């Protein structure tokens, strides 16, 4: 049964749609985003096709005029001049249309690809937090990213291949008529050679995709991580002080060597393809010359016709080869688009029959026999938890690192769903509510505070500029303890943060970042506040004072305080003591102290840090 489920999951992570379905997908995106590309493509196809065999007809007419004039005493060159003028006008017109159309075509194709990238990013942002931790999901995301990463592969590659395919088809339709007049057997022979080239080309494409690009997905992720780590300012101090440069360079070199070996394998595959194609091209040209020489000897073919048929036969052979190769390229792009569409269509099993959130100010959360195991882990991170968070109450969740506190928060916030048991909100399983709506109930403050390269006001509102109330942002910042910082900034609440996008951006200290996160929670004004060790950068006494001040600010809201220090516990209504993934004690501060258990022992060890200097001195 487990094997069957794994197969089902693997099928969800890769779906083959087929080349025609993927062409339809690409054309659909063109129609949705930039339908003007269709007439531009038509101009490029016609102009490009005509230009590919125009010189053959031009050469024939020039030679015919020269031969005719050589036999007449007048030597009138006017017909030749007229021909040159008309051909020049046609070539200039077609060349201009082709050049302008191709440039415009390229810009619009890139724009469409950018919009598809936006689709991919939007999908990533909507995915479950839990899904983004799975390696197989990260590989699928990486392959989807690769499928729209450049101009020649994946999505945009398919757009260019469609245009090239249509151009070749039109050219072949004209050229094959002339070659068939010369010798139908030549058409058959050239077609067979081109098909052989295509079959080998297609074989190489499949091997290249399977043996190189699919297995490179983890390497791309590792390379991205190493580049971000070595260039991220947050890591800079550790890298220098611990002399990690050599180690990190060696690690990056190892990853790049692994990528290089796979890329070299790809290069070797294509060298084999070039040798095979080159050999068959020599045979193809030999057959063309043999047929033309035979016609000259047998049918007294004129030099002009020799030139024309040579051009048409070469155009037929080269465009048929090009056509079949483009079909191969289209299959390659199609397989890459499979990766993109698999990601875009990935269904995480979301329900469509959600019930609305209850219209109330009181939310009660109940954990009933809840257990949770991380994907791939052997042991449970949380075991058989029974706990209730009453509306308007304060709950402190305490314990040493690794006790299961953060896992509890992730389950409460529905960043993860339980493995066993259930979480109820007002008596209803939280899985029956839409996650996006459910998230509105919480204002979380995490230990690791991420600052965005936006103005401070938007970093607090976590909304776009037009939806941000700057006055409210400033009020929340001051309540969270950022008054001194705000008064020191020339632009106040409008100050740009970080120097990533703005040279005059301001960096915040660790403590200031955590106060910024508290301001975010105040701005959101959700009914439930969750603080997951956000004050770890502060000393215990400062943490206690900040918690107490924050507790007064949030008034009658429900609050969960997570900490391995016990500064937040004394003013909380209930305290849950976690140890090794289990809740081992539950009660008020006084009740747990009187029990003399794990909580009492931990509090006594830490108690000295929660006293003022005056208390200590006495």
């Amino acid at each position: 049964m487990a094997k069957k489920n794994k197969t089902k999951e693997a099928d969800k992570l890769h779906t083959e749609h087929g080349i025609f379905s993927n062409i339809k997908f690409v054309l659909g995106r063109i129609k949705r985003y930039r339908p003007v590309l269709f007439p531009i493509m038509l101009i490029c196809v016609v102009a490009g096709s005509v230009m590919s065999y125009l010189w053959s007809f031009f050469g024939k007419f020039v030679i015919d005029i020269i031969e005719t004039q050589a036999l007449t005493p007048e030597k009138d060159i006017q017909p030749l001049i007229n021909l040159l003028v008309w051909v020049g006008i046609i070539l200039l017109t077609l060349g201009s249309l082709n050049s302008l159309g191709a440039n415009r075509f390229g810009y619009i194709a890139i724009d469409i690809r950018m919009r598809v990238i936006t689709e991919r990013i939007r999908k990533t942002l909507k995915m479950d937090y839990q899904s983004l931790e799975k390696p197989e999901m990260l590989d699928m995301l990486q392959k989807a990213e690769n499928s729209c990463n450049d101009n020649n592969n994946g999505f945009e590659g398919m757009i260019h291949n469609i245009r090239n395919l249509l151009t070749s088809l039109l050219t072949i339709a004209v050229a094959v008529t002339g070659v068939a007049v010369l010798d139908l057997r030549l058409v058959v022979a050239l077609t067979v050679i081109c098909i052989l080239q295509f079959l080998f080309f297609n074989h190489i494409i499949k091997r290249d995709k399977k043996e190189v690009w699919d297995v490179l997905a983890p390497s791309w992720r590792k390379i991205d991580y190493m580049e971000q780590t070595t260039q991220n300012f947050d890591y800079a101090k550790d890298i220098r002080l611990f002399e990690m440069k050599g180690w990190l360079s060696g690690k990056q070199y190892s990853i790049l060597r692994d990528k290089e070996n796979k890329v070299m394998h790809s290069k070797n595959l294509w060298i084999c393809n070039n040798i095979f194609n080159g050999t068959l091209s020599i045979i193809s040209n030999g057959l063309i010359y043999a047929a033309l020489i035979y016609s000259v000897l047998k049918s007294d073919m004129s030099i002009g016709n020799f030139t024309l048929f040579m051009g048409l036969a070469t155009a037929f052979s080269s465009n048929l080869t090009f056509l079949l190769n483009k079909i191969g390229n289209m299959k390659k792009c199609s397989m890459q688009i499979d990766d993109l569409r698999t990601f875009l269509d990935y269904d995480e099993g979301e329900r469509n029959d959600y019930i609305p959130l209850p219209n109330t100010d009181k939310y009660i959360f109940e954990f009933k026999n809840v257990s949770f195991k991380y994907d791939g882990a052997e042991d449970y991170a949380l075991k058989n938890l029974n706990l209730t968070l009453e509306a308007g109450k304060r709950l402190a969740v305490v314990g040493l690192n690794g006790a299961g506190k953060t896992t509890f928060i992730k389950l409460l916030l529905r960043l993860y769903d339980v493995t066993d048991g259930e979480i109820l909100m007002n008596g209803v399983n939280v899985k029956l509510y839409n996650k996006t709506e459910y998230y509105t109930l919480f204002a979380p403050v995490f230990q690791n505070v991420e600052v965005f390269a936006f103005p401070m006001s938007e970093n607090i509102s976590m909304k776009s500029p037009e939806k941000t109330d700057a006055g409210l942002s400033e009020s929340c910042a001051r309540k969270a303890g950022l008054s001194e910082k705000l008064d020191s900034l020339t632009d106040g609440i409008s100050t740009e943060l970080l120097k990533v996008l703005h040279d005059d951006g301001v960096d915040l200290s660790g403590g200031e970042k955590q106060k910024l996160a508290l301001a975010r929670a105040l701005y959101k004004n959700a009914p439930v506040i969750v603080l997951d060790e956000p004050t770890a950068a502060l000393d215990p006494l400062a943490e206690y004072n900040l918690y107490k001040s924050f507790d007064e600010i949030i008034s009658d809201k429900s609050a969960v305080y997570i900490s391995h220090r016990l500064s937040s516990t004394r003013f909380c209504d209930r305290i849950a003591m976690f140890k090794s993934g289990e809740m081992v004690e539950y009660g008020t501060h006084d009740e747990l102290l009187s029990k003399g258990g794990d909580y009492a022992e931990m509090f006594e060890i830490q108690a000295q840090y929660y006293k003022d200097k005056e208390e200590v001195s006495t």
Side-chain angles (χ1 to χ4, degrees), residues 282-560:
I282 292 171
I283 295 172
S284 175
N285 289 332
L287 290 174
I288 292 172
Y289 275 102
L292 288 171
I293 291 170
Y294 177 80
S295 294
V296 169
L297 297 176
K298 185 81 174 175
S299 311
D300 195 24
M301 178 186 286
S302 69
I303 298 175
N305 284 336
F306 183 96
T307 303
L308 174 62
F309 284 116
M310 169 61 78
L312 290 176
T314 303
F316 171 75
S317 176
S318 62
N319 275 278
L320 184 56
T321 302
F322 184 77
L323 171 70
L324 293 174
N325 283 345
K326 286 305 167 187
I327 292 175
N329 268 328
M330 289 179 82
K331 290 191 73 174
K332 175 184 175 183
C333 292
S334 178
M335 288 188 285
Q336 293 166 338
I337 292 173
D338 282 338
D339 295 332
L340 173 65
R341 293 181 67 185
T342 298
F343 179 72
L344 293 178
D345 296 340
Y346 182 76
D347 180 11
E348 295 182 291
E350 287 277 337
R351 304 166 57 101
N352 293 318
D353 55 343
Y354 296 113
I355 63 174
L357 292 176
N359 186 20
T360 178
D361 294 329
K362 297 185 180 298
Y363 297 94
I364 302 172
F365 299 86
E366 183 181 2
F367 283 65
K368 296 185 67 175
N369 302 315
V370 168
S371 295
F372 177 77
K373 182 189 291 185
Y374 285 96
D375 194 51
E378 293 183 5
D379 299 324
Y380 281 92
L382 212 58
K383 291 170 280 188
N384 198 33
L385 176 63
N386 289 279
L387 177 65
T388 300
L389 173 61
E390 298 287 348
K393 300 295 184 181
R394 308 291 193 263
L395 171 69
V397 179
V398 300
L400 298 175
N401 291 333
K405 306 185 301 295
T406 297
T407 300
F408 165 74
I409 287 301
K410 288 177 178 177
L411 293 175
L412 175 64
L413 299 178
R414 282 203 71 194
L415 293 174
Y416 290 87
D417 280 324
V418 301
T419 305
D420 300 304
E422 60 180 349
I423 302 174
L424 306 178
M425 185 183 77
N426 292 359
V428 178
N429 193 314
V430 294
K431 290 183 179 180
L432 297 177
Y433 299 115
N434 179 279
K435 274 190 180 181
T436 304
E437 293 181 7
Y438 183 79
Y439 292 154
T440 63
L441 301 178
F442 300 94
V445 183
F446 299 110
Q447 181 177 345
N448 296 323
V449 181
E450 300 297 338
V451 178
F452 297 89
F454 306 146
M456 185 182 285
S457 57
E458 293 167 34
N459 263 283
I460 292 173
S461 72
M462 302 295 275
K463 298 179 182 293
S464 57
E466 63 275 8
K467 294 181 180 179
T468 295
D469 184 335
L472 179 58
S473 292
E474 181 169 356
S475 173
C476 293
R478 293 188 182 278
K479 286 180 181 178
L482 283 171
S483 293
E484 186 177 343
K485 184 67 176 181
L486 278 172
D487 293 338
S488 71
L489 300 173
T490 305
D491 295 327
I493 199 68
S494 300
T495 300
E496 296 285 350
L497 299 186
L498 303 183
K499 300 183 186 299
V500 178
L501 301 180
H502 302 274
D503 293 339
D504 59 348
V506 173
D507 291 317
L508 301 180
S509 68
E512 288 168 346
K513 287 180 182 178
Q514 290 177 328
K515 290 175 182 178
L516 181 79
L518 293 173
R520 286 174 181 167
L522 293 175
Y523 188 101
K524 189 173 183 181
N525 195 31
V528 184
I529 307 291
V530 176
L531 284 79
D532 185 8
E533 302 194 81
T535 53
L538 303 179
D539 64 75
L541 187 57
E543 178 186 61
Y544 170 72
N545 291 329
L546 182 61
Y547 270 158
K548 194 168 183 181
S549 172
F550 189 77
D551 190 69
E552 293 171 0
I553 294 171
I554 62 176
S555 184
D556 60 349
K557 296 181 184 298
S558 304
V560 181

